[in-house]
């Protein structure tokens, strides 16, 4: 098979490699680009070759592992992903005598914390896969700069949004949890993308039922008739139609306090903990509602939980959508809504 592999080192490093081999068992890796020292690049290539031999690399799905390199003489976290160049893959399926080149791209960081950004890095590779062209001109003008900016573009957006919004971040967290549409005005392209990525990372998509999410999006849009607007025309962003609650404000402080260290991986971990706590609260409320169908004391527990958790406004909307088709639970939610209004 024909194999083309790539590797990346250090704070935005990368390397790629290509080869033609007569056997499906055998392959070689040739270097396309890297910013690693030669010795470390050889060690990384050996690591990738072993993974390929074991069949441990799946097309388009990134992995994160710890790799020992002699420079700087400690283990680093390595995200690596194997992929085909898309247009050549299509040609290969049409003409069996053409072998589609394969690539491996590697990004190296200080630890295995890249795992928290694996999905973002997978998307980053997808974009490269579509635009990759082996012509030298394209490599120099597009591929090389694209690979070298991986850390800035895939890892740092959450950190930049925290630094941009500061205390106003609570409103963005509230919008993400409640599926409120957000419009960004008078901002540069990078800021728009950063906010969009933050919302995607902070939402509960994939953690709550898909039907619930869709219904909630529709309910929020109908209820508000307007999006939350972030206006970046002035020195400080101005927010309009924004909502918040105590839960989001508490977590905002965790982000702002974490900004002193300036570690993008820490921000992602805080965001994951934020979502985990929200899911725990939703599950607790659903359990109380099931008990409250037959127990008035449990109904009071529901009410006290909603009152004290800090995000009762959002949780009530989520369970209302989820229990819309369940008469007993729907009655409990209706009573809870009346109590919360009072």
């Amino acid at each position: 098979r024909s194999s083309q592999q790539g590797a990346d080192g250090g704070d935005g490093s990368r390397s790629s490699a290509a080869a033609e081999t007569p056997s499906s068992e055998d392959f070689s890796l040739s270097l396309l680009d890297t910013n690693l020292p030669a010795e470390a690049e050889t060690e990384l290539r050996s690591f990738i070759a072993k993974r390929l031999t074991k069949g441990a690399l799946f097309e388009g799905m990134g992995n994160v592992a710890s790799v020992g390199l002699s420079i700087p003489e400690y283990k680093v976290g390595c995200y690596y992903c194997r992929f085909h160049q898309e247009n050549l893959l299509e040609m290969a399926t049409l003409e069996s005598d053409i072998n589609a080149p394969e690539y491996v791209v590697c990004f190296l960081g200080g630890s295995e914390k890249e795992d928290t950004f694996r999905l973002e890095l997978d998307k980053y590779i997808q974009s490269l896969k579509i635009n990759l062209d082996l012509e030298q001109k394209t490599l120099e003008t597009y591929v090389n700069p694209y690979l070298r900016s991986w850390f800035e573009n895939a890892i740092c957006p959450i950190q930049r949004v925290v630094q941009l919004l500061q205390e106003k971040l609570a409103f963005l967290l509230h919008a993400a949890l409640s599926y409120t549409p957000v419009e960004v005005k008078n901002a540069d392209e990078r800021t728009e993308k950063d906010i969009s990525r933050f919302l995607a990372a902070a939402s509960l998509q994939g953690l709550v039922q898909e039907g619930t999410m869709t219904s909630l999006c529709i309910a929020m849009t109908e209820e508000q008739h307007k999006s939350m607007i972030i206006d970046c025309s002035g020195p400080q962003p101005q927010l309009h139609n924004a909502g918040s609650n105590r839960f989001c404000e508490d977590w905002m402080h965790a982000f702002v306090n974490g900004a002193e260290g300036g570690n993008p991986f820490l921000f992602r971990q805080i965001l994951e903990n934020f979502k985990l706590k929200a899911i725990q609260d939703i599950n607790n409320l659903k359990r109380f509602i099931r008990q409250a169908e037959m127990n008035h004391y449990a109904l009071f527990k529901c009410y006290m939980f909603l009152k004290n958790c800090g995000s009762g406004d959002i949780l009530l909307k989520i369970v209302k959508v989820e229990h819309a088709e369940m008469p007993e639970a729907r009655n409990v939610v209706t009573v809870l809504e009346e109590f919360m209004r009072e």
Side-chain angles (χ1 to χ4, degrees):
R1 108 191 144 194
S2 167
S3 240
Q4 296 208 359
Q5 320 289 349
D8 276 62
D11 308 286
S13 61
R14 107 198 146 269
S15 80
S16 305
E20 287 186 4
T21 58
S23 163
S24 61
E25 298 286 327
D26 196 17
F27 59 85
S28 65
L29 304 178
S30 52
L31 181 66
L32 199 59
D33 189 39
T34 186
N35 61 2
L36 276 179
E39 188 179 354
E41 188 275 319
T42 304
E43 291 163 344
L44 181 60
R45 190 190 302 218
S46 172
F47 166 78
I48 293 296
K50 285 175 187 170
R51 293 293 169 121
L52 284 165
T53 305
K54 292 175 182 173
L57 274 75
F58 297 102
E59 166 76 18
M61 289 175 58
N63 297 272
V64 176
S66 186
V67 185
L69 300 178
S70 56
I71 302 171
E73 297 184 351
Y74 68 92
K75 290 193 177 230
V76 296
C78 174
Y79 165 90
Y80 55 97
C81 184
R82 171 182 154 238
F83 67 96
H84 292 87
Q85 186 177 339
E86 282 211 335
N87 55 346
L88 286 188
L89 183 60
E90 289 166 11
M91 287 168 57
T93 54
L94 296 172
E95 302 178 44
S96 57
D97 58 331
I98 297 178
N99 286 318
E102 293 180 71
Y103 302 85
V104 176
V105 171
C106 304
F107 298 131
L108 300 185
S111 72
E112 289 187 51
K113 290 175 182 172
E114 281 88 347
D115 196 36
T116 56
F117 285 94
R118 191 171 51 80
L119 294 177
E120 282 88 346
L121 290 170
D122 283 353
K123 287 179 186 172
Y124 200 68
I125 297 301
Q126 279 297 320
S127 183
L128 174 68
K129 173 177 171 176
I130 294 163
N131 295 294
L132 184 60
D133 188 330
L134 273 183
E135 290 178 18
Q136 195 59 37
K137 188 165 46 169
T138 311
L139 281 176
E140 290 171 1
T141 58
Y142 175 77
V143 176
N144 295 5
Y146 184 83
L147 287 170
R148 290 187 191 281
S149 60
W150 73 275
F151 193 82
E152 191 69 18
N153 289 340
I155 306 296
C156 293
I158 293 172
Q159 181 180 22
R160 287 197 294 264
V161 170
V162 173
Q163 291 166 343
L164 174 72
L165 294 178
Q166 297 291 318
E167 282 79 9
K168 293 174 183 171
L169 188 72
F171 300 110
L172 197 62
L173 291 170
H174 190 270
L177 273 191
S178 60
Y179 303 93
T180 303
V182 175
E183 285 181 29
V184 182
K185 295 188 174 178
N186 304 311
D188 56 68
E189 186 182 358
R190 188 174 83 163
T191 301
E192 279 192 42
K193 282 185 179 175
D194 284 352
I195 291 171
S196 174
R197 285 173 178 168
F198 185 96
L199 286 166
S203 84
L204 301 182
Q205 185 165 8
L207 299 176
V208 297
Q209 297 171 17
E210 196 172 325
T212 298
M213 201 177 63
T214 306
S215 302
L216 203 56
C217 289
I218 294 167
M220 290 305 294
T221 307
E222 287 176 350
E223 180 183 311
Q224 296 184 5
H225 300 295
K226 49 192 174 186
S227 308
M228 182 179 114
I229 295 168
I230 302 176
D231 187 350
C232 298
S233 55
Q236 295 294 321
Q238 298 299 312
L239 276 61
H240 308 285
N241 310 326
S244 185
N245 58 30
R246 195 175 74 249
F247 180 81
C248 294
E249 283 162 13
D250 289 345
W251 280 97
M252 172 273 293
H253 289 298
F255 281 101
V256 172
N257 294 338
E260 295 167 12
N263 181 347
F265 297 104
L266 172 64
F267 291 117
R268 184 51 188 264
Q269 194 55 59
I270 294 171
L271 199 57
E272 292 303 312
N273 292 342
F274 163 79
K275 287 165 34 176
L276 180 63
K277 183 65 173 94
I279 288 294
Q280 286 173 342
D281 285 350
I282 291 168
N283 290 337
N284 282 333
L285 179 60
K286 288 201 274 195
R287 191 175 75 252
F288 290 146
I289 287 173
R290 281 196 301 273
Q291 294 168 359
E293 290 175 14
M294 297 168 289
N295 182 323
H296 286 295
Y297 177 67
L299 180 62
F300 180 70
K301 271 172 70 178
C302 273
Y303 168 64
M304 292 307 294
F305 177 77
L306 281 171
K307 226 178 127 180
N308 296 326
C309 70
S311 59
D313 57 331
I314 294 173
L315 297 188
L316 204 51
K317 283 171 186 164
I318 292 173
V319 294
K320 184 178 180 180
V321 168
E322 285 203 357
H323 295 105
E325 306 300 321
M326 301 156 69
E328 292 86 356
R330 194 174 65 229
N331 291 339
V332 171
V333 172
T334 303
V335 172
L336 288 172
E337 279 185 313
E338 290 172 9
F339 271 98
M340 291 296 282
R341 271 199 299 272
E342 289 171 13

